[in-house]
Amino acid sequence: MLIYPKIDPIAIHIGPLAVHWYGLTYLAAFGLFYLLAVRRLSHEPFASVQGPGAWTRRDVEDMLFFGIVGVIAGGRLGYCLFYKPGWYLTHPLEIFYLWQGGMSFHGGMLGVIASQWWFARTRAKPFWQVMDFVAPCVPTGLAAGRVGNFINGELWGRFADPSLPWAMVFPQSGSMQPRHPSQVYQFLLEGLLLFVLLWLYARKPRREASVSAVFLFGYGVFRFAAEFFREPDAHLLWLKAQTGLSMGQWLCVPMIVFGIVLYFRAQRRPLPASA
């Protein structure tokens, strides 16, 4: 049985400014996105696009900028609406208290979709082509975020059998009983494994929207599975008790369904000419 290694959430102090590890993991996520997106420029069908619609590094930079705005705004609003709507309805100004924490992947995903829709519209690029370009570059950022969760000692898992070799005690949970390190599970599943599968799948030209569909389905399934080992938020235990599923699982259901529908609709589209 392991004991959570107490880690100072503040990485460095620069005068009165405290730089948190969690903020650095966001920077790492954005940096990884940029590096992978530049590599995507050499993949088909993007490498073969010519003329005004050709893909360039400037496109990657603009997509990243819009994506950062979408992640932060969507992630925060999603957390407020999905997880604590009553509280933020009565305390609306606290929506802007980002330093208090509280971000939602599903909200961040909707924010990214909205930002990339705007990018596609202003650059006259097909929306699903843009989303197919982005999708394989996202999971490493999710993995970085789970590292931040682990460093903060948050989002711990449910109680585990003490004989489990990697069962871990999280003192900040208020209990000294061993738990599943669910942050690590999510790092491995929706981060590394999803990245490897999606990157390999997207290396070959695919019908438009196919890569996006695989991302939606893959993330939804991996997150749904990981939620069985993650402790639900205390204020949402009632949802788990009444439905048998956590809020995270309920939010994954439409992702999985839409991913399946989108994939089969995508198969009606023609293959790119570069295939």
Side-chain angles (χ1 to χ4, degrees):
M1 190 169 62
L2 306 174
I3 305 295
Y4 170 77
K6 185 172 178 55
I7 305 172
D8 188 344
I10 299 176
I12 54 174
H13 288 275
I14 305 176
L17 178 65
V19 180
H20 288 247
W21 284 111
Y22 194 66
L24 293 179
T25 61
Y26 266 70
L27 290 179
F30 298 141
L32 288 168
F33 175 90
Y34 181 80
L35 293 175
L36 293 172
V38 170
R39 291 291 302 274
R40 286 283 282 159
L41 292 173
S42 63
H43 293 177
E44 296 294 349
F46 313 104
S48 298
V49 178
Q50 303 296 325
W55 287 82
T56 66
R57 284 198 178 215
R58 176 63 184 272
D59 290 324
V60 171
E61 294 165 0
D62 291 345
M63 292 167 72
L64 177 58
F65 173 77
F66 289 133
I68 291 173
V69 175
V71 164
I72 296 175
R76 183 58 176 171
L77 290 175
Y79 177 80
C80 298
L81 293 174
F82 299 151
Y83 291 91
K84 288 186 176 181
W87 173 265
Y88 288 103
L89 185 63
T90 55
H91 302 79
L93 290 180
E94 293 194 16
I95 293 175
F96 303 99
Y97 293 3
L98 298 179
W99 57 89
Q100 292 184 353
M103 297 287 281
S104 162
F105 162 78
H106 296 90
M109 181 188 70
L110 293 175
V112 168
I113 290 174
S115 71
Q116 299 312 304
W117 173 84
W118 178 255
F119 170 83
R121 180 183 176 88
T122 57
R123 301 300 189 278
K125 293 182 182 295
F127 171 72
W128 286 116
Q129 186 182 84
V130 171
M131 297 308 297
D132 286 348
F133 183 94
V134 168
C137 307
V138 171
T140 53
L142 303 179
R146 295 311 174 195
V147 172
N149 294 144
F150 184 81
I151 291 174
N152 285 349
E154 60 192 6
L155 306 185
W156 51 77
R158 303 183 189 186
F159 294 126
D161 189 327
S163 64
L164 187 69
W166 54 85
M168 181 172 289
V169 173
F170 290 88
Q172 54 271 68
S173 69
S175 169
M176 295 303 291
Q177 296 189 50
R179 295 175 176 271
H180 290 280
S182 57
Q183 314 97 322
V184 178
Y185 296 173
Q186 291 185 257
F187 167 83
L188 295 173
L189 287 175
E190 66 199 44
L192 296 189
L193 180 57
L194 181 59
F195 165 70
V196 171
L197 295 177
L198 201 59
W199 190 262
L200 293 177
Y201 179 78
R203 285 295 301 272
K204 295 182 179 180
R206 303 291 179 180
R207 290 177 171 84
E208 197 170 277
S210 294
V211 177
S212 301
V214 172
F215 171 82
L216 290 171
F217 177 78
Y219 179 88
V221 169
F222 288 149
R223 176 67 182 271
F224 191 94
E227 285 282 330
F228 283 114
F229 302 95
R230 177 173 162 178
E231 181 75 11
D233 292 344
H235 61 282
L236 291 173
L237 288 174
W238 63 269
L239 182 64
K240 169 67 178 175
Q242 293 184 8
T243 67
L245 298 178
S246 67
M247 175 60 79
Q249 288 173 314
W250 279 114
L251 293 174
C252 284
V253 169
M255 284 186 68
I256 296 171
V257 173
F258 186 70
I260 294 173
V261 173
L262 182 62
Y263 181 82
F264 284 105
R265 287 180 63 89
Q267 302 318 300
R268 303 175 186 175
R269 300 171 181 262
L271 277 169
S274 57

